[in-house]
Amino acid sequence: MSNSSTESVNLNTAQIKVVTADGKMVRKATFAGTMGSFVEWYDYGIYGLLTTYLAVNIMGSKDVGSLLLTNVGFLVSFLARPFGGVICGFLGDRLGRKNLLAVLLLLISASTACIGLIPSSSVISWAAPALLILFRILQGFSAGGEVAGAMAFVGEYANNRHRNFAQSFIAVGSFFALFFGSTLSAILITTLGDANMSGWGWRIPFMVALPLGYIGFYIRSKMEDTPHFNALRERNVVERNPLKTVFTSKKHLAAIALTIFLPAVNGPGYYLLFAYMPTYLKTSLGANNFTMLGALVVTAASLVAIIIAIPIMARLSDRYGRKPILALSAIGTAVLSYPSFLMITTGNMALASIGAVMMALAFSGHAAVVHTVLTELFPTTVRYSAYSIGFNVSTIIFGGSAPLVMTAIISATKNSMVPGYFSIAASVITLATVFFLKETKGLPLQTH
């Protein structure tokens, strides 16, 4: 990753020279991609962390019904993601990655900040939840184009031998955003008190998204487009209709199927273990077991563990292969889910923290590797489009619905181990999908 080099790739029997970036440019691209991931996941994180406050202010109470309605707002953003993925993927494959990704950051951060400005339901009645849903749709649309675009952007800059390590920092950015959101929320709860936090303090974390988004926009706007996309543009072989190409190719459709099922464990990994965990600890286990501050401490412990583990797992993947790390992570998550959630449900903070850390470490291999594999499944001509479609469908099935479904099932069954069972099932689906993958460690990215 120290010096620029040239790699040749085949496109309809013609050789295309791709001048890969030097180490400095790769680091800049990695930072630009990571900033976008940070802003996107900061949004999802604080929504999950502050669900109980949103229920009181936007939905009007903190009972189970209001929590369910607030989690509908979580789900709605995921339903909007495929539309954003399709449209942004089409534009990204036709016009390039850089400018689109810069604009998406502004959309995500602005819609997040607007949630913090919504008057309470006691002031504007039904308009409060309506506005919440509207802004969540905008967030979901923008985020739908962000993940695949950012991963493609960094992957198309990175050196073949160290691609996973470079891309892993986007995943680190997502978890650091959750950690930052958890820490900020904990500080606010401690300094303001629960009454002030419920009254107006909950708005502050949402408003913080605006300056964060502008910083990310500025960084991305100063970058050049990726070497791989520029090589296509220079040869005038950019795909004119990437969506048509994707949906008329059996090869691409098969890869999209893998993109849907391989990230199954992301649901319990990202959305239950981290974004939903504070609400789960406080509401599903009872306020007598965990205060909101205590729940945030448990979440923060698991976040620190996974932030440290992800780059290590990525290094191992670049050395030993993608498939072994994905398989071991899926097995580890399946095996540790039940004992980890048993520890979490004890109501003891020390045991809950250990259980959450165990889950985080098991999941870290998947979080470090999965997006690099999805980047390597598709050629540059349709990478943004195809990756977006498959991953966003997967996110709806296994991720966005998870908090809503878990809240409803736990309420109906009074069984607080439901998230553990869901984690085991998702891990099995991911493990089964790994066997259909081809090893891509160290190989050049496909161009066509």
Side-chain angles (χ1 to χ4, degrees):
M1 292 175 66
S2 57
N3 298 307
S4 62
S5 60
T6 303
E7 51 181 69
S8 297
V9 290
N10 229 306
L11 182 64
N12 293 337
T13 72
Q15 291 291 319
I16 288 184
K17 301 290 184 181
V18 178
V19 180
T20 58
D22 62 17
K24 183 178 180 180
M25 284 302 297
V26 172
R27 287 190 290 272
K28 284 185 177 179
T30 301
F31 186 66
T34 301
M35 272 301 299
S37 176
F38 181 93
V39 173
E40 177 195 354
W41 284 99
Y42 176 78
D43 156 45
Y44 280 107
I46 59 173
Y47 191 92
L49 293 169
L50 302 175
T51 296
T52 53
Y53 296 113
L54 288 168
V56 170
N57 284 274
I58 304 300
M59 301 302 173
S61 72
K62 59 180 179 180
D63 60 21
V64 172
S66 292
L67 281 173
L68 285 172
L69 287 174
T70 308
N71 282 321
V72 168
F74 197 85
L75 174 61
V76 162
S77 69
F78 286 90
L79 296 178
R81 286 178 71 114
F83 298 98
V86 168
I87 294 172
C88 294
F90 178 86
L91 294 174
D93 283 332
R94 282 285 288 120
L95 305 175
R97 285 75 160 110
K98 185 202 74 161
N99 291 331
L100 178 62
L101 287 170
V103 172
L104 286 175
L105 264 188
L106 286 183
L107 290 175
I108 294 172
S109 58
S111 53
T112 301
C114 285
I115 290 178
L117 296 174
I118 299 174
S120 67
S121 59
S122 62
V123 177
I124 60 172
S125 186
W126 60 267
L131 285 172
L132 177 66
I133 297 299
L134 172 62
F135 294 134
R136 291 298 293 171
I137 290 172
L138 290 175
Q139 286 173 328
F141 180 90
S142 307
E146 167 64 30
V147 177
M151 287 292 178
F153 186 79
V154 175
E156 290 170 10
Y157 261 104
N159 180 283
N160 294 331
R161 291 175 54 230
H162 307 290
R163 184 178 299 117
N164 198 171
F165 184 67
Q167 288 185 269
S168 72
F169 286 97
I170 300 180
V172 170
S174 68
F175 289 108
F176 186 72
L178 296 176
F179 178 76
F180 178 76
S182 297
T183 304
L184 178 60
S185 299
I187 292 172
L188 289 171
I189 291 170
T190 302
T191 56
L192 298 178
D194 197 58
N196 285 327
M197 193 67 184
S198 296
W200 55 271
W202 66 272
R203 300 180 184 275
I204 296 174
F206 288 98
M207 300 301 297
V208 169
L210 202 56
L212 292 175
Y214 178 76
I215 294 170
F217 169 80
Y218 179 81
I219 294 169
R220 284 185 172 180
S221 65
K222 297 299 180 182
M223 294 290 299
E224 296 294 327
D225 224 319
T226 71
H228 280 259
F229 188 83
N230 282 337
L232 297 183
R233 181 182 281 152
E234 289 168 6
R235 287 294 300 269
N236 197 30
V237 289
V238 174
E239 190 66 61
R240 295 182 63 84
N241 193 338
L243 292 178
K244 180 180 178 182
T245 302
V246 166
F247 287 114
T248 56
S249 166
K250 291 183 179 179
K251 176 184 176 182
H252 295 334
L253 290 175
I256 286 175
L258 293 176
T259 307
I260 293 173
F261 292 104
L262 185 65
V265 77
N266 267 16
Y270 274 98
Y271 306 107
L272 289 186
L273 184 57
F274 300 106
Y276 175 65
M277 184 60 73
T279 301
Y280 168 72
L281 293 175
K282 190 171 187 298
T283 60
S284 298
L285 300 186
N288 292 331
N289 290 322
F290 285 96
T291 63
M292 180 55 78
L293 181 59
L296 291 175
V297 169
V298 173
T299 304
S302 62
L303 286 167
V304 170
I306 201 167
I307 287 169
I308 295 171
I310 283 176
I312 299 172
M313 294 295 105
R315 282 289 196 193
L316 292 174
S317 167
D318 280 330
R319 182 170 183 178
Y320 298 108
R322 319 302 193 213
K323 293 181 66 175
I325 303 301
L326 286 171
L328 287 173
S329 181
I331 293 170
T333 304
V335 170
L336 291 176
S337 288
Y338 189 80
S340 293
F341 272 94
L342 275 180
M343 297 172 76
I344 291 168
T345 56
T346 61
N348 180 282
M349 184 179 294
L351 286 176
S353 296
I354 293 170
V357 167
M358 286 168 54
M359 282 290 290
L361 293 176
F363 177 63
S364 65
H366 182 88
V369 177
V370 65
H371 288 288
T372 299
V373 172
L374 301 187
T375 301
E376 294 168 341
L377 278 175
F378 302 102
T380 305
T381 48
V382 298
R383 180 171 293 119
Y384 201 155
S385 301
Y387 185 159
S388 291
I389 292 167
F391 184 69
N392 283 311
V393 171
S394 178
T395 302
I396 290 176
I397 297 172
F398 300 107
S401 60
L404 177 65
V405 173
M406 293 302 103
T407 301
I409 294 177
I410 292 171
S411 176
T413 64
K414 310 302 180 186
N415 186 345
S416 58
M417 284 297 296
V418 169
Y421 302 140
F422 175 62
S423 180
I424 294 170
S427 300
V428 171
I429 294 171
T430 290
L431 180 62
T433 310
V434 169
F435 291 103
F436 293 93
L437 292 176
K438 293 181 179 179
E439 184 56 66
T440 51
K441 173 186 74 76
L443 298 177
L445 289 176
Q446 304 174 62
T447 299
H448 185 72

